[in-house]
Amino acid sequence: MNKNERIKIGRLISNDCFLPENLNITARQFNYWRNCNVLPFFLKEKKGYMNMSEALWILIINELSNIGVNTKKLQSLSNNIWVVPFEKKYADGVFKEALNSVDLDLSEKKSIEELIKFDPMMNTIFRREINPFTDAFKSCLISNRSVVSLIYCPKTGEHSFNFSNVGLTADLNNLYFGETLIVIPFLPLISKLVGIEIGKSNTDLEYLSSIENQIRRVLFFDKPKLLEIEVQQGDSPKIIKITEEHKKPEELAKFFLTNKLPLGSKIMIEPRPQGNYKITIKSK
């Protein structure tokens, strides 16, 4: 976790911009889950606002509830996801690992060491916000756009995170042998959340690359009828067309999350007749 990633993560954690209505969840249902500690560390003072990782968790809870997982099991799973890592001080280990980073200077290392010892802040913020679930979410969103799924076994209450797009690995098969599993991919849910932020925010988003933010600006501020994106990488260029029918924020978010645009590429934006645009992305 380098310095820039830590800054992005911090902003993601602190940005409370989602309401239940944004997620198509009723206030009544949301308050029920909150009162049942399905989101154990959710503060009533936030008046329904959630950051992105909390919103992702609520969407996952909604998925599990819709297929019949009862509240007691949801409480137990939420406890394992949020409370157990808090009690085991998982966040402290993350910060201690960051101390080995070569991009930290002495003053930054000293600040992290002092922070780990400062229980009031660690207990009220970082130990509540940093756990394997939020790490998996950030990996999917920021680091390398990993394909991540939550694997949940309702009978045993066990869970794990699968970082793969080829199905269950042998280890997972052994871990849950003979039991029914529920697999919830993060990508469709995160696409929904990123789409909400793309549609609401007037500024560049930290977790999008420079190229992605430029495409977003063209689409939502210039409002072309047709946006053609050509990615020149290798022998055969890849062409993606975004029309008026697909100019929904969630569609653009899905495009960003499923198409890895080459970093450090050159980008050329060309206005075309009849309000159209062409964007060419060329690998260096």
Side-chain angles (χ1 to χ4, degrees), residues 103-143:
D103 70 325
L104 288 178
D105 58 36
L106 290 176
S107 63
E108 289 175 317
K109 288 185 177 182
K110 185 176 180 181
S111 296
I112 292 176
E113 289 171 347
E114 291 176 351
L115 176 61
I116 294 173
K117 297 175 183 177
F118 189 51
D119 281 337
M121 182 172 289
M122 291 296 294
N123 284 334
T124 55
I125 301 177
F126 297 108
R127 288 175 187 149
R128 297 185 179 202
E129 301 276 5
I130 300 176
N131 54 54
F133 167 71
T134 56
D135 278 356
F137 152 67
K138 294 160 194 168
S139 175
C140 190
L141 182 65
I142 299 176
S143 302

Side-chain angles (χ1 to χ4, degrees), residues 216-278:
R216 172 180 174 267
R217 288 197 296 270
V218 169
L219 190 61
F220 286 98
F221 295 108
D222 295 327
K223 300 184 183 302
K225 292 182 179 179
L226 171 67
L227 177 62
E228 182 177 301
I229 302 171
E230 180 176 319
V231 181
Q232 297 181 355
Q233 190 176 25
D235 297 331
S236 55
K238 181 179 182 181
I239 297 177
I240 303 104
K241 292 184 178 180
I242 301 177
T243 66
E244 283 191 315
E245 291 182 1
H246 300 98
K247 282 195 298 186
K248 298 177 181 177
E250 189 172 338
E251 291 295 327
L252 185 61
K254 189 182 299 182
F255 166 72
F256 287 154
L257 292 169
T258 56
N259 294 277
K260 278 192 176 182
L261 301 181
L263 297 177
S265 301
K266 293 181 180 179
I267 181 170
M268 183 167 60
I269 302 174
E270 304 172 76
R272 294 290 181 88
Q274 300 179 335
N276 298 330
Y277 274 76
K278 179 178 180 180

Side-chain angles (χ1 to χ4, degrees), residues 16-280:
D16 295 325
C17 63
F18 298 94
L19 286 168
E21 62 198 53
N22 301 139
L23 312 180
N24 296 320
I25 293 173
T26 66
R28 180 179 179 182
Q29 181 66 73
F30 176 80
N31 288 329
Y32 172 73
W33 283 332
R34 182 176 62 182
N35 294 335
C36 290
N37 288 324
V38 170
L39 184 59
F41 295 133
F42 192 90
L43 301 176
K44 292 185 178 180
E45 291 80 3
K46 292 168 67 170
K47 301 185 183 301
Y49 281 96
M50 295 168 276
N51 60 44
M52 192 176 280
S53 59
E54 291 169 334
L56 175 61
W57 182 242
I58 287 294
L59 288 176
I60 290 174
I61 287 297
N62 191 52
E63 292 274 328
L64 292 172
S65 177
N66 286 341
I67 60 176
V69 178
N70 63 41
T71 301
K72 186 175 181 179
K73 289 184 179 294
L74 295 179
Q75 288 172 330
S76 177
L77 178 61
S78 294
N79 184 76
N80 290 334
I81 291 282
W82 297 93
V83 179
V84 172
F86 171 84
E87 293 174 342
K88 292 185 176 181
K89 299 184 177 180
Y90 176 89
D92 299 47
V94 172
F95 284 122
K96 288 175 182 177
E97 184 178 343
L99 291 173
N100 298 321
S101 175
V102 295
D103 70 325
L104 288 178
D105 58 36
L106 290 176
S107 63
E108 289 175 317
K109 288 185 177 182
K110 185 176 180 181
S111 296
I112 292 176
E113 289 171 347
E114 291 176 351
L115 176 61
I116 294 173
K117 297 175 183 177
F118 189 51
D119 281 337
M121 182 172 289
M122 291 296 294
N123 284 334
T124 55
I125 301 177
F126 297 108
R127 288 175 187 149
R128 297 185 179 202
E129 301 276 5
I130 300 176
N131 54 54
F133 167 71
T134 56
D135 278 356
F137 152 67
K138 294 160 194 168
S139 175
C140 190
L141 182 65
I142 299 176
S143 302
N144 53 9
R145 303 281 167 86
S146 302
V147 178
V148 181
S149 298
L150 170 68
I151 312 295
Y152 173 57
C153 182
K155 184 174 182 180
T156 66
E158 294 175 282
H159 77 277
S160 60
F161 301 103
N162 188 33
F163 292 78
S164 171
N165 61 352
V166 294
L168 295 179
T169 65
D171 288 342
L172 285 172
N173 278 322
N174 292 333
L175 182 61
Y176 302 111
F177 180 75
E179 302 295 348
T180 299
L181 300 180
I182 298 172
V183 181
I184 300 182
F186 280 20
L187 182 59
L189 304 180
I190 292 178
S191 294
K192 180 181 181 73
L193 298 177
V194 173
I196 292 170
E197 274 217 299
I198 285 176
K200 290 173 63 175
S201 177
N202 292 321
T203 60
D204 287 351
L205 300 177
E206 284 288 333
Y207 51 82
L208 295 183
S209 69
S210 172
I211 291 175
E212 290 167 340
N213 273 309
Q214 287 182 69
I215 294 173
R216 172 180 174 267
R217 288 197 296 270
V218 169
L219 190 61
F220 286 98
F221 295 108
D222 295 327
K223 300 184 183 302
K225 292 182 179 179
L226 171 67
L227 177 62
E228 182 177 301
I229 302 171
E230 180 176 319
V231 181
Q232 297 181 355
Q233 190 176 25
D235 297 331
S236 55
K238 181 179 182 181
I239 297 177
I240 303 104
K241 292 184 178 180
I242 301 177
T243 66
E244 283 191 315
E245 291 182 1
H246 300 98
K247 282 195 298 186
K248 298 177 181 177
E250 189 172 338
E251 291 295 327
L252 185 61
K254 189 182 299 182
F255 166 72
F256 287 154
L257 292 169
T258 56
N259 294 277
K260 278 192 176 182
L261 301 181
L263 297 177
S265 301
K266 293 181 180 179
I267 181 170
M268 183 167 60
I269 302 174
E270 304 172 76
R272 294 290 181 88
Q274 300 179 335
N276 298 330
Y277 274 76
K278 179 178 180 180
I279 294 178
T280 303

